[in-house]
Amino acid sequence: VAGALNITTRNPHHESEGMIELGVGDYDAWEVGGMFNGSLSDTVAGRIAFKYAERDGYGENAYDGEDFGARDDLVVRGKLLFDFNEQLSMLVTADYAEVYTEGTAIEQLNSTSTPEFEAAVTARFGSSPATKDSYDWKINQAHEDEFEDEQWGLSFDINYEFANGLALRSITAAREWEATDGRLDSRYPVELVPGDVYYKTETLSQEFHLMSPGGETVDWLAGLYYYEEDYDVDNLRDAADAFCDSVIGSLSPALGAVCLASQQVEATVSTFTQELESIAVFGQATWNINDAWNTTLGLRWSDDQKDGDYILEVNNPAAILLAAPEETLGMQRDDSKTTWLANVNWYVTEEIMLFATASTGYKSGGFNSQSSGREALGRERRIFAPEEATNYELGVKSTLLKGAMTANATLFRMDIDDFQDRAFDGLSFIVLNAGELRQQGVEADINWAPVEQLRIVAGVGYLDSEYLEFEGAPGLPGGDTQDLKGERRTYSPEWQTSISADWTQDFANGMQWFVGGSWSWLDEQNVGASSNNDPQSMQDSYSIVNARVGLRSASGKWDVTLFGNNLTDEDFCQTIFDAALGPLLGAVDPVNNTSVMRCALGAPTTWTVRGTYRF
């Protein structure tokens, strides 16, 4: 509902060019990438780009003496441009990607632990998951996270221009994605409930645009969009010996014995399937009133139909403490919405433009695809409603100092009704509607080249975040639901700012050396995986410092650059969540509504040397 990130990659052209890039770094990191563009005939041009990168993990695991966190990525994209004649062209794009990662460090936050918890887990498992430092990328836990992702996409973008200047565009696209997420997400010094999640999606879309010639008093566009998707999630979870013996057996020796005697592999199995069909009709027109004023109106009607089934089987009696059997079939959603946009631009001068925008957004409802702990969700809670947004912006965009600086500022307010928020039960996420959320504030940025050799980019943002309504919000650990009206949204820091500077200097034989650095600062914020605003999930403000220095040839054909990221080795949590199986292992204090917490760490200091050759 807040918009989309538009990533534009270069299209083929008829001039030959190429590039090869090699890089090495610490943690045995290395990478190779390249691009080649050229003409295949008078009417066909092609472009291909690829990158392969791998590195060892940042982390050390005292549990098994192994490193962890390695990753291995491959991406390839190819494009063919067919210029059949002056009126008709077609761009064919194909991409393929493989991603493998062993996950990040999930450390126990020692500040949230208690002597009682440490004694309990040590007695059960022989040691505690705690380490001396909660931010040192050293853990003591069974860690076998493995995420494998494979996907491909294919699209055909056909453009035809009529004799009267009207343009017709057709975009046909298909994508397939498969992923396996294997993890030991209990994260204790023993295997408890290992599991695998299998994802698969297949999508097909078709879009048509009819566009006016442009440069007229009224420029307009009309379109039709169709999208269909099949989505499957299979979640398998085992009951390991230690779970049956040390966890269940400590609560009930008889049930622990039953757990060991029953099916332990695939103790719980859930399957979720969803079919989606979406259609939209849209149009937009810009009235160029004069050289100083223009206004734009847009309208879109969307209709989304979803059908889903969810089944969870419990194959081990003791696993009822993890998930409840459930069969919710024939779930349906049929959501339709008309959204609009209105914008006015005023060019005060050729260098300064003021604008005002009002718009609405919409995201369809859906179905929860995960289990919900000991209590089955049922049809009512498994289905969540659409969310709708109303957004207002006032701003200025400017080019100053004879083109040496651009400066922009925007005031914004976004109200989201039935915001699709989430709760976390220690093993899975559940989506729920959160009433009304308001995000408002101001953003400003400048891009300035005071002299030829220097460029400075800086930005600052202030965010006022507030739930205007959120009854039935997830409760604190050990507590009931709560009302978060008037509270901030998670991941909503009040202030954030960044500044970067780059200096380029000529020296012998026309070669250049360059140096650059950046500093970003993020205010304190709640980074809880659950939207319960747990005070234990607060992340203090922190800064990240990056830098680079390099050498470039006089012809610009090659350069070598040394990069350093997070040079101050800042410690921070990307997200914080309750320890798994907390109520069963004494991690939850129901009197104070607190829990032992886990932190997913951000990356430590890293270094990379990268060389690029262009031909």
Side-chain angles (χ1 to χ4, degrees), residues 250-280:
S250 66
L251 300 175
S252 169
L255 185 57
V258 171
C259 180
L260 288 169
S262 302
Q263 179 177 331
Q264 291 179 252
V265 176
E266 299 183 9
T268 66
V269 177
S270 71
T271 58
F272 172 78
T273 60
Q274 175 180 283
E275 294 182 356
L276 162 66
E277 189 174 52
S278 177
I279 189 169

Side-chain angles (χ1 to χ4, degrees), residues 101-121:
T101 177
E102 295 176 355
T104 187
I106 309 293
E107 293 216 41
Q108 178 173 300
L109 288 177
N110 294 337
S111 59
T112 65
S113 189
T114 64
E116 293 78 13
F117 171 74
E118 297 297 329
V121 294

Side-chain angles (χ1 to χ4, degrees), residues 91-228:
L91 178 67
V92 181
T93 304
D95 67 84
Y96 176 79
E98 289 182 4
V99 174
Y100 170 84
T101 177
E102 295 176 355
T104 187
I106 309 293
E107 293 216 41
Q108 178 173 300
L109 288 177
N110 294 337
S111 59
T112 65
S113 189
T114 64
E116 293 78 13
F117 171 74
E118 297 297 329
V121 294
T122 301
R124 282 188 171 101
F125 309 135
S127 63
S128 164
T131 58
K132 292 182 180 180
D133 185 344
S134 296
Y135 304 93
D136 61 359
W137 282 83
K138 296 179 180 180
I139 63 174
N140 181 41
Q141 56 189 281
H143 179 103
E144 295 182 9
D145 292 6
E146 288 188 345
F147 181 79
E148 298 181 63
D149 179 303
E150 182 179 18
Q151 59 180 293
W152 62 265
L154 180 65
S155 68
F156 298 85
D157 187 348
I158 303 172
N159 289 267
Y160 181 80
E161 183 174 334
F162 295 94
N164 60 3
L166 292 179
L168 178 65
R169 184 180 186 186
S170 168
I171 307 171
T172 307
R175 179 163 294 277
E176 184 174 301
W177 171 63
E178 293 188 22
T180 301
D181 186 5
R183 60 185 185 271
L184 295 171
D185 49 12
S186 51
R187 308 197 183 279
Y188 291 98
V190 65
E191 291 189 17
L192 293 178
V193 285
D196 293 288
V197 186
Y198 301 94
Y199 302 90
K200 183 176 181 179
T201 65
E202 295 178 352
T203 67
L204 178 68
S205 64
Q206 175 63 55
E207 187 166 1
F208 293 105
H209 296 170
L210 182 63
M211 295 163 282
S212 66
E216 300 182 336
T217 303
V218 177
D219 297 323
W220 54 267
L221 176 148
L224 176 68
Y225 180 75
Y226 174 81
Y227 176 85
E228 64 179 31

Side-chain angles (χ1 to χ4, degrees), residues 531-550:
S531 298
N532 62 359
N533 280 25
D534 189 338
Q536 294 180 296
S537 299
M538 289 298 297
Q539 166 62 52
D540 291 338
S541 60
Y542 63 92
S543 300
I544 298 294
V545 176
N546 302 324
R548 68 185 185 114
V549 60

